[in-house]
Amino acid sequence: MTGANPAMQPAADPIIELRRISKTFGEVEALKDVSLAIGRGKVVVIIGPSGSGKSTLLRCINRLEEPTAGEVWIDGERITGSDEQMNKIRADIGMVFQHFNLYPHLSVLENITLAQKIVRKREKKAAQAIAMEQLKRVGIAEKADAFPNQLSGGQQQRVAIARALAMQPKIMLFDEPTSALDPEMIKEVLDVMLMLAEEGSTMVIVTHEMGFARAAADEIIFMDYGEIVEQTTPETLFTHPTHPRTKLFLSQILQK
Amino acid sequence: MASSDLERTSLLDAPAFEGLKLRRFSLKEVNWREFPWWFAALILIAVVTLVTVLTSPTFNEAFFFIIAGLGVTVSVTLAAFVVAVVLGLITGLGRISDKVLPKNAATLYVELVRGVPMLVLIFFIALVLVPGIINGINALGAALSNIGIGSIGSFFSAVAIRDIPMALRAVIALSITYGAFLAEVFRAGIQSISRGQMEAARSQGMSYGQAMRYVILPQAVRNVLPALGNDFISMLKDSSLVSVLAVRDITQVAKLYAGHSFRFQQAYISLAILYLVMTVSLSLLVKVIERRYCHDGR
């Protein structure tokens, strides 16, 4: 079961709720009976060793990964996995990937307007206006006409964030957004994420950036072997970790 | 490049032409050991043959007799290629589908076609499959007439096997054959696009179909353009097989000419040079398209 810290109140109005989620890949159990509730407007950071099931958990939220068992509830609605429902719900959940996954055949502006036009059914002009607004927000409006391969990794990731934001999502998911970046570009992406956190977006973030986790997170979840080991405030987790596995993990990464 | 496994080596890739990329080109920069002598020889053969054809009266006669079939060769190839691209795209999408029926139907089609020689397939489709379908339609017409829907029934019954010209059957046969080849080209092209592209599109709420249409296929098609071009060239050559159906393409016309004039040399040298001129110029064109679309996109 989840080792939730008694100090943490269960989210009163959860926008995301996972109930007893399991996921197996062949023989491997990536998630073992995980339950989790995330409140509206909360910034939740998931940390843990590689292979601990962090990304799988994140991908179960928007069903890029189909759970083997358990229920996912988004904003009071149970996700059954029907295509129609999934497309509707996914439009409301922005996702940022480790490898950016920009559309290489489209310009930056077209990357951001494509889903607005075909999923949100916005007029081209309106979609472009929203795209420019989001590009300004992440600080690269001048790159609107560039192609992804002309941008640095940090710029590409900021475009990817703008692309997700342009859908005006209720939730933003970040799957190791800085892991594929050169060190000098990590900050520009984290700065954008911090800004979003301060604006009150609901964010679920898988990351190895402990400084960011400490600065931005309302809650922090430590996962290991497909389970939530500890779920608490960053302050408590970093200063008084209760579980030996958390202590071990923190000692390993903080020594570096 | 993701498309590299689909590309075939070509002349302009030869290291000898490294120097050509510079604005000022000098002979010193050409590496003569790496020079594509085979291409120079090819051009020489083509020029000598063309001069011979145009100056010798008998060759001249043969050449211009045969060229009358060029329209048929080109139109059969073009029509069959367009149909094959559509068929190949649909089948390729079927091959990668998660759904049981499309996946198996597409695989069955591809494996059936790949397991039979093209010449046999052309006979089979033109002389067994097409008549079989017409007989089926006639039987349906008769059945409809029997149950009293005579107006539609007689329409179906009126279609006769001889109404389907051999040229059309040739196009059908080539399309079905190449559809299976192109399905594999499209499948490989789609699978060369990273999974993250589909995930990004789906995560934004696009359906599978929308993601395919707006995100995956535009990239995949760009990647497979050179392979499609090469298959077009193959099809141009394989269109000579339709001469077995007595379709008057250049091969059939050459056979006829040789048959009545007994000038086998003149007929078949002219025929070969015609194909060669078309295929060599097309493969240069493919190379140009490849450079334009594949080297800057990503």
Side-chain angles (χ1 to χ4, degrees):
Chain A
M1 267 317 287
T2 61
N5 188 318
M8 291 292 300
Q9 292 299 314
D13 172 27
I15 190 163
I16 303 170
E17 212 183 336
L18 305 182
R19 295 185 191 163
R20 311 199 58 175
I21 293 285
S22 295
K23 174 69 185 179
T24 51
F25 295 102
E27 298 283 287
V28 185
E29 268 191 292
L31 291 177
K32 299 175 196 161
D33 204 11
V34 173
S35 296
L36 170 68
I38 292 174
R40 206 174 294 273
K42 291 278 187 263
V43 176
V44 177
V45 169
I46 307 175
I47 61 169
S50 42
S52 59
K54 314 180 292 288
S55 288
T56 309
L57 182 71
L58 193 75
R59 292 158 60 88
C60 279
I61 294 174
N62 68 350
R63 289 267 178 148
L64 281 187
E65 220 68 80
E66 191 71 25
T68 317
E71 295 176 9
V72 179
W73 291 67
I74 303 289
D75 209 4
E77 189 179 348
R78 186 179 165 194
I79 310 303
T80 56
S82 83
D83 271 2
E84 209 172 309
Q85 186 197 29
M86 271 331 304
N87 295 337
K88 192 173 128 291
I89 293 232
R90 282 186 183 136
D92 288 335
I93 305 179
M95 185 154 192
V96 176
F97 300 85
Q98 182 177 356
H99 296 288
F100 329 135
N101 296 346
L102 293 180
Y103 310 132
H105 59 300
L106 300 178
S107 73
V108 164
L109 193 67
E110 290 163 338
N111 261 276
I112 305 177
T113 53
L114 181 66
Q116 291 191 66
K117 286 187 286 192
I118 61 184
V119 178
R120 289 275 189 245
K121 315 271 183 233
R122 287 181 189 144
E123 293 294 320
K124 190 176 173 186
K125 280 267 157 57
Q128 284 180 341
I130 292 171
M132 286 312 297
E133 191 185 305
Q134 297 303 336
L135 276 175
K136 280 197 196 100
R137 217 165 147 202
V138 300
I140 37 173
E142 75 279 8
K143 296 289 185 189
D145 296 322
F147 277 80
N149 65 353
Q150 296 166 327
L151 304 180
S152 72
Q155 291 172 328
Q156 288 190 49
Q157 194 61 299
R158 286 190 281 154
V159 171
I161 294 173
R163 177 175 72 179
L165 290 175
M167 299 293 283
Q168 285 147 344
K170 296 178 193 162
I171 302 165
M172 285 286 287
L173 307 178
F174 293 83
D175 189 3
E176 302 200 25
T178 57
S179 298
L181 294 176
D182 292 334
E184 73 272 20
M185 294 166 186
I186 291 177
K187 190 172 175 296
E188 64 186 67
V189 172
L190 291 182
D191 284 347
V192 170
M193 290 166 61
L194 263 174
M195 175 191 80
L196 294 176
E198 280 159 14
E199 288 174 7
S201 319
T202 306
M203 297 163 75
V204 186
I205 303 154
V206 171
T207 187
H208 294 290
E209 296 295 327
M210 295 303 147
F212 170 80
R214 209 162 176 163
D218 296 311
E219 280 174 42
I220 191 152
I221 291 172
F222 172 68
M223 287 188 73
D224 202 7
Y225 296 108
E227 292 171 320
I228 294 181
V229 177
E230 218 166 318
Q231 176 177 7
T232 180
T233 62
E235 199 48 41
T236 316
L237 189 105
F238 285 113
T239 51
H240 310 290
T242 51
H243 202 285
R245 264 143 79 185
T246 320
K247 289 177 185 166
L248 179 67
F249 176 72
L250 289 175
S251 71
Q252 282 166 343
I253 53 156
L254 295 179
Q255 265 166 16
K256 278 180 204 164
Chain B
M1 265 305 303
S3 68
S4 59
D5 53 334
L6 297 169
E7 287 172 25
R8 293 164 205 187
T9 53
S10 138
L11 164 75
L12 291 179
D13 285 333
F17 285 125
E18 272 304 304
L20 284 177
K21 289 175 187 154
L22 302 173
R23 197 166 294 168
R24 284 259 195 85
F25 164 68
S26 89
L27 282 179
K28 275 185 197 161
E29 286 164 45
V30 177
N31 178 352
W32 294 106
R33 272 185 66 83
E34 296 290 333
F35 188 81
W37 295 106
W38 62 268
F39 187 70
L42 191 67
I43 297 286
L44 190 71
I45 292 169
V47 170
V48 168
T49 317
L50 265 181
V51 170
T52 314
V53 164
L54 295 176
T55 51
S56 146
T58 52
F59 265 102
N60 201 310
E61 186 193 285
F63 188 82
F64 287 101
F65 192 89
I66 293 165
I67 230 169
L70 198 57
V72 173
T73 291
V74 171
S75 51
V76 163
T77 307
L78 279 177
F81 193 74
V82 170
V83 179
V85 163
V86 174
L87 208 54
L89 186 56
I90 293 168
T91 311
L93 288 169
R95 290 273 278 168
I96 57 161
S97 169
D98 288 337
K99 300 206 166 69
V100 175
L101 182 67
K103 190 187 183 75
N104 283 283
T107 309
L108 176 67
Y109 162 48
V110 170
E111 294 300 330
L112 271 180
V113 168
R114 282 209 296 203
V116 180
M118 197 177 302
L119 184 58
V120 177
L121 263 176
I122 288 174
F123 279 131
F124 174 80
I125 292 168
L127 305 175
V128 180
L129 191 66
V130 171
I133 290 170
I134 300 299
N135 284 335
I137 291 172
N138 291 163
L140 180 71
L144 285 175
S145 298
N146 282 342
I147 59 169
I149 317 172
S151 54
I152 310 171
S154 61
F155 176 73
F156 280 144
S157 305
V159 185
I161 293 168
R162 64 170 187 282
D163 286 344
I164 312 296
M166 277 299 173
L168 181 58
R169 296 189 213 187
V171 169
I172 294 170
L174 277 178
S175 308
I176 291 178
T177 313
Y178 267 77
F181 298 157
L182 294 185
E184 292 304 275
V185 170
F186 281 115
R187 182 180 63 80
I190 292 168
Q191 286 178 336
S192 75
I193 307 301
S194 88
R195 242 170 49 119
Q197 291 291 310
M198 180 54 95
E199 289 186 349
R202 296 305 303 271
S203 82
Q204 291 199 284
M206 290 186 216
S207 67
Y208 179 85
Q210 289 170 331
M212 257 309 158
R213 178 172 161 202
Y214 295 105
V215 176
I216 307 295
L217 283 179
Q219 299 179 57
V221 167
R222 193 177 292 200
N223 282 354
V224 301
L225 271 181
L228 285 184
N230 286 324
D231 275 322
F232 182 79
I233 295 169
S234 297
M235 190 185 237
L236 181 69
K237 291 187 290 181
D238 285 336
S239 74
S240 64
L241 290 171
V242 305
S243 62
V244 298
L245 301 178
V247 173
R248 289 174 152 255
D249 74 324
I250 52 177
T251 303
Q252 176 65 7
V253 177
K255 263 161 54 182
L256 292 177
Y257 180 79
H260 74 69
S261 68
F262 296 103
R263 290 182 187 143
F264 293 102
Q265 256 181 16
Q266 287 85 338
Y268 291 117
I269 288 177
S270 300
L271 180 62
I273 203 70
L274 255 177
Y275 278 116
L276 200 60
V277 167
M278 288 191 284
T279 54
V280 169
S281 31
L282 280 173
S283 64
L284 285 173
L285 186 68
V286 167
K287 200 68 206 171
V288 170
I289 291 171
E290 187 180 336
R291 305 224 141 203
R292 167 129 355 134
Y293 287 97
C294 296
H295 286 249
D296 55 10
R298 181 176 346 207

